[in-house]
Amino acid sequence: MKMVAEEFNNIRKHKILTATIIAIMIIPFLYSLFFLKSVWDPYGNTKYLPVAVVNNDKPVKYQGKTFKVGEDLEKELRENKDLGWHFVNAKEAKYGLSHKKYYMVITIPKNFSKNATTVLDKHPKKMQLTYNTNDALNYIGKVIGEEGAKQVNSSVRDSVSEAYATTMFDTVKKVGKGFNKAAKGATQLSDGAYTLSDGLKVYTAGVDQVNDGVIQLKNGVAPLSAGVLKLTTGASVLADGLNQLQSKTGTLASGVNQLATGSKTLSSGLNTLQGKTGTLASGVNQLATGSNDLNKGLGQYINGVNQLVFGVDTLHDKVVGSADSLSAGATKLNDGSKQLNDGVNKYTAGVSQLQQGLTELNGNSKALKEGAAQVAAGNKALADEVAKINVSQFNSGDTTQLINGLQQLQVVKQQLQPAMQAITTLQSSMGGMKDELAAVQSSSTELSNKLGSDLKTAGSSVQGSSANIQAVLGSSNLTDADKQKLQAALQQNQAAGNAISDAGTTAGQIKAQMDGVNAKLSGLQGQLSNLSAMSDKLTNAASVLNRINIDPNELKGNADKLQELAKNVTTLQEATKALAKGSSDLNDGVNKYTAGVTSALNGANQLTDQNGALTSGASQLYAGTSELKNELPELVTGVTKLNNGAVALVANNGKILSGSAQLAGGIGQMNAQIPALTSGVNQLANGGNQLAGGLGQLNAQVPTLTNGVNQLASGTQQLAANSGQLIDGANKISEGNGTLAKSLSAGAKEVNSQNLNSANANMFAAPTTLKHKNYSYVPNYGYALAPYMLSVALYVGALVFNLVYPIRRLSTPDGSATEWFFSKVSIGTVVAVGNAIVEVGLMMLAGLHPDHPFATFMNAISFSLAAMFIIMVLAMLFSNPGRFIGMIFLVIQLGACGGSFPIQITKGMNGFFQAINPYLPMTYSVYGFRESLSSGLGSSQMTISLTVQLIFIVASLLLLWISMSYLRTSGKVSYSEEPTSNED
């Protein structure tokens, strides 16, 4: 591989060539960087694209609301950051569009809002939003602006549609309310129709009855004329009779005078009778009312008398029947209260004695408490002192330790005697206190057992007798004086009973406290016995110590005595320790005992405080029972008299009730006939006068009456004939109104049940939403063009290398074609790999972040090698024409690789680009970069891309070797010491 080494040596020798190769490696990166950064994120920066907005709209009124669509749109656009909105007038917009200031002008016409209100007109006018674009300024800018205009139009459409929907919903709500009112009115109309129908039925029934009555009237009026004629005839006959009477007037003159006088007298009497009938009727009515009230009162009186008799009988049975037992009970109650009074006096004396004993016992408790505390402290100090003695000192053989131990024993011997005396004194005090406490306990027990139960029993008996007296007092009708006396005795009885019961309860509590004190004293006696036994042990130990001669010189050589001394000291330590523990327990017991004595003394003081009330209550009880006993005979006598009177009252109830009933019945009959009497007298007085006038009027009105009855009969017949049709019509109206009410009510429910809020209006205006999901994510336009531009840049880098580097030059004059092949392939490989690594690495530093970095490097290296060797084959075979062919191949790939637009829409040249797309290396490079940068094409895409590019690499290398072999054997290439780029 001499030629390969020489190839690299030539590059190293020529600095310009080295710098050129390094610069070539940077060209793909610069190409990609400048292009991609110029279009890195154009759609993310559309807010800087200037668009003019001209608002000429005028607000209008529509159904009570102000429509200002243009103003609302302007406010919305001011908040919108999708484009660079500039709000100007028409003149400024036109100037800016023609002078490259604005890419588009959106004009809102002055009738924009007005046209929005014509939606319900016969010929509605659309809202026209105009936008003008300057396509020549920049076509992509025009596309972006056009998309913005479409979004504005869509926004206006949604907002106006929502306003339409809201207005329509408001109208529907009003219709729903109108339906409700109409349904209520129809219901009322239906109810009224049914009422009308029912009234018509009653009316027609009445018409039939009226018609029947009129027909009867018509038939009855016909004979009236004949009757009047007969009456006239009778009047003629009467006139004839009067003429005959006139002829006899002379004879009748005296009789007539007598008759006139009698008639005057009769007329005067009748007038007097007529004048008094009203007074008679009023008096009889009052009499009837009073008799009814009397009858009711007598009934109530009889019921009350019956209730009184029943109560008096019951009282009589209870009082008289139990008079003997009540008297005996009162006597016993009086005797018992006397005995109770005597017992209470004895009880109070005993309570006073108990208080004195407890007071003395409490006074001695203080000395006992102090003595027990001193004994406990002294025994503890003694035990502590004895515990300090080290028994091993006596067996150590050391004279100093023995002397120290003997000195400690001497101190203990001095403390033993006072401790013994204190214990003896405490035992003596405890013995005397026990005797005192036993006497107090015996007295308290006897007092509590006898008086406690007796007082409770007496209190219960007193309270029970009070209840019996209360029952008699509440169930009887005693006199007020008897009630007051019984009530006073009852109150005294109850007060004494309560006081006695409370005293009995307190006596029981004192007994319980004394029992507790006695129990504590018994515990103290046990502890004192234990202390006495410990004291005996201590006495024995002390006597042993006293018998031992505590002389160091004598004990130093006597081992037996020392052992005995050590043993006695040990016994002494145990005894003092137990004595200290017992003294401490004794002290605690004494404290509890003295607290119990104090509590018992407090209870005894409470009993003593109640002695006065108890004595007073017992005295009042005795006085009250004595008074109750004296009043019982008078009570029995009064109840008996009350019972006799009530029985006599009941015996006369029947007579009173019978007479009252007869009186009420007679007066009622008389009252019932008074109206008839009064009416008859009035009719008798007025009948003659009315008869004369009525006959004249009747005769004059008979023709008119006959004519009116005929007309009435004809009218009622017509009414009766049409009643059926009237009822049928009313029924139809009722049924129709009922159907109308139901239909209106159903329609109102249907309308009002609809959801007509702002959310529904929004749904009505914009029923769909667009939701975008990414299968793979490309951040911006720069990432989208990166696969395309990276591939193009790598191809350009390979093309530039083959333009400036002497591909056809031999580095040595005698190298073979294969050596020549490897020398060029090796330098081309280094440059191609360098181009790929530098381009991808620096682009990553510049902001390009692939999903799969390793795959990105692999795809870049494989395509860079494929491009390098394809161009190298063309340059090797055809020299500069071959390099031109390489440029043409680049241009073809730019259009056919699908790097900018989808290949499916690249329909130019009759589908030429689509046809060659699968056979171009850049196609698979673009796909490979897309997968490595943003994923989404599947992991198999990288395998496919690398495989296809590997095929191009292998095929290009094979063609390159063949062509270089041909050129070497044919002598068309020559050796040159100086490398040059000017090759044939």
Side-chain angles (χ1 to χ4, degrees):
M1 291 296 167
K2 180 180 179 181
M3 185 172 264
V4 174
E6 190 62 25
E7 189 75 26
F8 284 95
N9 288 332
N10 288 333
I11 295 173
R12 189 168 54 251
K13 291 177 182 179
H14 299 85
K15 304 300 181 182
I16 295 177
L17 187 58
T18 301
T20 301
I21 292 175
I22 294 174
I24 290 172
M25 291 183 182
I26 301 175
I27 287 176
F29 161 70
L30 296 177
Y31 193 95
S32 300
L33 178 66
F34 292 139
F35 185 85
L36 291 179
K37 284 298 182 180
S38 67
V39 294
W40 187 250
D41 191 13
Y43 296 104
N45 295 312
T46 55
K47 61 183 177 181
Y48 301 109
L49 186 71
V51 175
V53 178
V54 179
N55 182 16
N56 297 324
D57 184 47
K58 303 295 181 183
V60 295
K61 292 286 186 179
Y62 179 64
Q63 292 189 356
K65 297 181 180 179
T66 301
F67 252 43
K68 44 182 181 179
V69 183
E71 183 178 342
D72 294 340
L73 176 60
E74 182 177 340
K75 290 180 180 178
E76 183 178 348
L77 292 179
R78 288 183 184 276
E79 299 297 327
N80 186 287
K81 303 301 180 183
D82 293 339
L83 294 173
W85 308 104
H86 297 264
F87 301 93
V88 297
N89 55 37
K91 183 177 180 180
E92 292 174 346
K94 183 177 181 180
Y95 178 84
L97 188 65
S98 62
H99 287 77
K100 298 182 291 183
K101 185 176 182 180
Y102 303 125
Y103 284 83
M104 181 175 65
V105 176
I106 297 177
T107 302
I108 305 173
K110 63 180 180 180
N111 59 356
F112 199 63
S113 295
K114 182 178 181 181
N115 289 346
T117 62
T118 64
V119 63
L120 298 179
D121 292 352
K122 185 176 181 180
H123 299 290
K125 298 179 180 179
K126 287 189 176 293
M127 302 166 61
Q128 189 173 15
L129 194 66
T130 305
Y131 69 97
N132 297 330
T133 60
N134 187 356
D135 298 358
L137 183 59
N138 189 288
Y139 185 79
I140 299 300
K142 173 254 185 186
V143 172
I144 295 174
E146 192 173 48
E147 189 64 26
K150 292 179 181 179
Q151 291 182 4
V152 170
N153 185 53
S154 177
S155 175
V156 171
R157 183 185 301 134
D158 291 345
S159 60
V160 172
S161 298
E162 184 173 355
Y164 285 159
T166 301
T167 303
M168 183 182 68
F169 288 172
D170 292 340
T171 303
V172 172
K173 290 178 181 178
K174 292 180 181 178
V175 171
K177 293 180 180 178
F179 274 3
N180 284 332
K181 293 181 180 179
K184 292 179 180 178
T187 302
Q188 295 175 354
L189 185 62
S190 177
D191 295 339
Y194 282 116
T195 304
L196 174 63
S197 179
D198 295 338
L200 287 176
K201 291 178 181 178
V202 176
Y203 164 77
T204 54
V207 167
D208 291 337
Q209 293 177 357
V210 170
N211 184 50
D212 295 339
V214 170
I215 296 299
Q216 292 178 0
L217 178 62
K218 179 182 179 181
N219 295 331
V221 168
L224 180 62
S225 176
V228 171
L229 290 176
K230 291 180 180 179
L231 183 60
T232 304
T233 302
S236 298
V237 174
L238 179 61
D240 293 340
L242 290 175
N243 291 328
Q244 293 177 5
L245 181 60
Q246 184 179 11
S247 62
K248 301 295 182 178
T249 54
T251 306
L252 295 175
S254 59
V256 169
N257 290 329
Q258 295 176 358
L259 181 61
T261 302
S263 65
K264 289 179 180 180
T265 303
L266 177 61
S267 177
S268 176
L270 288 174
N271 290 330
T272 302
L273 177 62
Q274 182 180 7
K276 296 299 182 177
T277 55
T279 305
L280 176 62
S282 176
V284 173
N285 284 331
Q286 294 177 0
L287 181 60
T289 301
S291 66
N292 289 332
D293 294 338
L294 175 62
N295 191 33
K296 293 180 182 179
L298 285 174
Q300 295 176 356
Y301 164 76
I302 295 303
N303 291 334
V305 168
N306 290 333
Q307 294 177 1
L308 174 63
V309 171
F310 178 79
V312 171
D313 286 339
T314 303
L315 176 63
H316 181 265
D317 294 338
K318 290 183 177 180
V319 174
V320 177
S322 60
D324 295 336
S325 60
L326 182 61
S327 177
T331 301
K332 291 180 181 180
L333 179 61
N334 183 252
D335 295 339
S337 62
K338 183 176 184 302
Q339 294 175 1
L340 177 63
N341 188 35
D342 297 338
V344 167
N345 291 330
K346 294 178 181 180
Y347 163 77
T348 53
V351 169
S352 299
Q353 292 176 0
L354 177 62
Q355 182 191 27
Q356 293 175 2
L358 288 174
T359 302
E360 294 176 359
L361 193 60
N362 187 52
N364 295 329
S365 296
K366 182 177 180 182
L368 176 63
K369 185 176 181 181
E370 293 175 354
Q374 292 175 0
V375 170
N379 288 336
K380 185 177 185 302
L382 178 61
D384 294 340
E385 192 66 31
V386 173
K388 294 179 181 179
I389 300 175
N390 188 358
V391 179
S392 62
Q393 294 175 355
F394 303 108
N395 298 322
S396 63
D398 187 352
T399 303
T400 302
Q401 294 183 359
L402 178 60
I403 292 172
N404 291 335
L406 292 176
Q407 289 176 349
Q408 291 176 347
L409 280 177
Q410 190 66 35
V411 174
V412 169
K413 286 175 63 178
Q414 294 174 358
Q415 293 179 352
L416 278 176
Q417 190 63 30
M420 297 292 292
Q421 292 176 356
I423 292 173
T424 302
T425 303
L426 181 61
Q427 287 176 332
S428 176
S429 299
M430 289 294 291
M433 188 172 292
K434 181 179 181 183
D435 296 337
E436 293 176 358
L437 183 61
V440 173
Q441 176 69 16
S442 176
S443 176
S444 173
T445 301
E446 181 179 2
L447 178 64
S448 178
N449 291 338
K450 291 183 178 181
L451 292 181
S453 59
D454 293 342
L455 288 174
K456 287 185 179 179
T457 304
S460 300
S461 300
V462 170
Q463 291 174 352
S465 63
S466 299
N468 294 332
I469 296 172
Q470 182 69 46
V472 174
L473 183 63
S475 64
S476 64
N477 294 319
L478 302 177
T479 63
D480 294 337
D482 293 334
K483 287 183 178 181
Q484 291 176 358
K485 292 178 181 180
L486 287 175
Q487 188 67 39
L490 178 63
Q491 292 176 353
Q492 293 176 355
N493 198 22
Q494 289 177 341
N498 293 334
I500 292 167
S501 296
D502 294 340
T505 302
T506 307
Q509 294 175 354
I510 290 295
K511 180 180 180 302
Q513 292 174 350
M514 292 304 299
D515 290 340
V517 173
N518 190 39
K520 294 174 181 176
L521 187 60
S522 298
L524 284 179
Q525 287 298 125
Q527 294 175 353
L528 193 58
S529 299
N530 295 334
L531 188 64
S532 179
M534 296 173 190
S535 178
D536 293 339
K537 291 183 181 180
L538 185 63
T539 301
N540 294 332
S543 63
V544 172
L545 288 177
N546 288 330
R547 290 196 301 269
I548 298 174
N549 185 15
I550 308 177
D551 186 0
N553 296 323
E554 181 180 354
L555 293 174
K556 184 175 181 181
N558 193 340
D560 294 337
K561 290 184 178 182
L562 288 175
Q563 291 180 357
E564 182 182 2
L565 178 61
K567 181 178 179 182
N568 290 328
V569 169
T570 302
T571 303
L572 180 62
Q573 288 178 335
E574 294 175 353
T576 54
K577 182 177 181 182
L579 183 62
K581 177 64 169 60
S583 300
S584 177
D585 294 341
L586 178 62
N587 186 43
D588 295 339
V590 167
N591 290 332
K592 296 179 180 178
Y593 159 76
T594 55
V597 171
T598 302
S599 177
L601 177 59
N602 293 334
N605 290 334
Q606 293 178 2
L607 280 178
T608 303
D609 294 337
Q610 295 176 359
N611 282 345
L614 182 60
T615 303
S616 175
S619 299
Q620 293 176 3
L621 175 62
Y622 177 71
T625 54
S626 298
E627 185 178 357
L628 177 63
K629 178 181 178 183
N630 295 330
E631 295 294 333
L632 281 177
E634 185 179 351
L635 172 64
V636 173
T637 301
V639 171
T640 301
K641 291 179 180 180
L642 179 63
N643 183 58
N644 295 334
V647 170
L649 185 62
V650 172
N652 294 318
N653 279 345
K655 295 179 180 179
I656 295 173
L657 186 61
S658 176
S660 174
Q662 293 176 3
L663 177 62
I667 293 176
Q669 293 177 1
M670 183 172 65
N671 184 50
Q673 298 301 324
I674 289 301
L677 176 61
T678 304
S679 176
V681 173
N682 291 332
Q683 291 176 4
L684 182 61
N686 299 325
N689 297 327
Q690 293 177 358
L691 178 61
L695 285 174
Q697 294 177 1
L698 177 63
N699 188 38
Q701 297 298 328
V702 166
T704 304
L705 175 63
T706 303
N707 186 30
V709 168
N710 290 333
Q711 294 178 0
L712 180 62
S714 176
T716 54
Q717 288 177 352
Q718 293 178 3
L719 286 176
N722 294 319
S723 295
Q725 297 178 359
L726 184 62
I727 292 175
D728 293 340
N731 291 335
K732 291 180 180 179
I733 290 174
S734 300
E735 293 175 358
N737 286 334
T739 303
L740 176 62
K742 291 180 180 179
S743 300
L744 288 175
S745 178
K749 290 181 180 179
E750 182 67 24
V751 171
N752 294 326
S753 64
Q754 302 299 320
N755 295 319
L756 304 176
N757 51 36
S758 59
N760 300 111
N762 182 268
M763 179 65 182
F764 190 88
T768 62
T769 57
L770 189 63
K771 185 177 181 180
H772 175 224
K773 292 184 178 180
N774 290 313
Y775 176 72
S776 60
Y777 176 69
V778 178
N780 50 46
Y781 193 69
Y783 272 80
L785 283 180
Y788 180 52
M789 295 312 303
L790 290 175
S791 301
V792 172
L794 289 174
Y795 191 94
V796 170
L799 184 62
V800 172
F801 172 78
N802 282 279
L803 284 173
V804 301
Y805 191 80
I807 296 297
R808 303 183 74 181
R809 171 182 171 277
L810 294 173
S811 56
T812 58
D814 56 349
S816 64
T818 301
E819 290 179 334
W820 184 32
F821 167 79
F822 280 110
S823 66
K824 299 304 178 181
V825 167
S826 60
I827 188 63
T829 300
V830 170
V831 174
V833 172
N835 285 344
I837 294 175
V838 170
E839 179 192 52
V840 174
L842 293 180
M843 283 304 298
M844 289 174 65
L845 294 176
L848 186 67
H849 303 293
D851 289 347
H852 310 286
F854 178 77
T856 304
F857 278 106
M858 290 301 297
N859 187 75
I861 291 172
S862 61
F863 178 72
S864 182
L865 290 173
M868 178 66 72
F869 296 141
I870 289 172
I871 298 172
M872 191 175 288
V873 168
L874 294 174
M876 187 64 70
L877 278 177
F878 307 110
S879 187
N880 287 333
R883 294 184 179 92
F884 178 76
I885 294 172
M887 292 181 184
I888 299 300
F889 188 58
L890 171 62
V891 174
I892 293 173
Q893 290 187 102
L894 291 176
C897 72
S900 57
F901 293 96
I903 191 63
Q904 289 79 6
I905 64 174
T906 308
K907 295 289 186 179
M909 299 179 66
N910 297 322
F912 169 76
F913 298 108
Q914 292 177 330
I916 65 173
N917 173 265
Y919 309 104
L920 300 177
M922 191 176 290
T923 298
Y924 299 94
S925 173
V926 170
Y927 282 143
F929 277 124
R930 284 176 178 172
E931 172 59 24
S932 65
L933 289 176
S934 306
S935 304
L937 302 182
S939 59
S940 61
Q941 181 60 53
M942 289 304 305
T943 303
I944 295 172
S945 295
L946 293 176
T947 301
V948 171
Q949 292 172 31
L950 181 62
I951 293 172
F952 276 99
I953 293 172
V954 172
S956 298
L957 289 175
L958 180 61
L959 291 175
L960 180 62
W961 181 78
I962 293 172
S963 61
M964 293 180 74
S965 296
Y966 165 74
L967 292 174
R968 182 63 174 152
T969 55
S970 64
K972 291 186 178 181
V973 294
S974 61
Y975 167 74
S976 175
E977 292 184 358
E978 296 295 331
T980 177
S981 60
N982 297 323
E983 301 178 22
D984 295 335

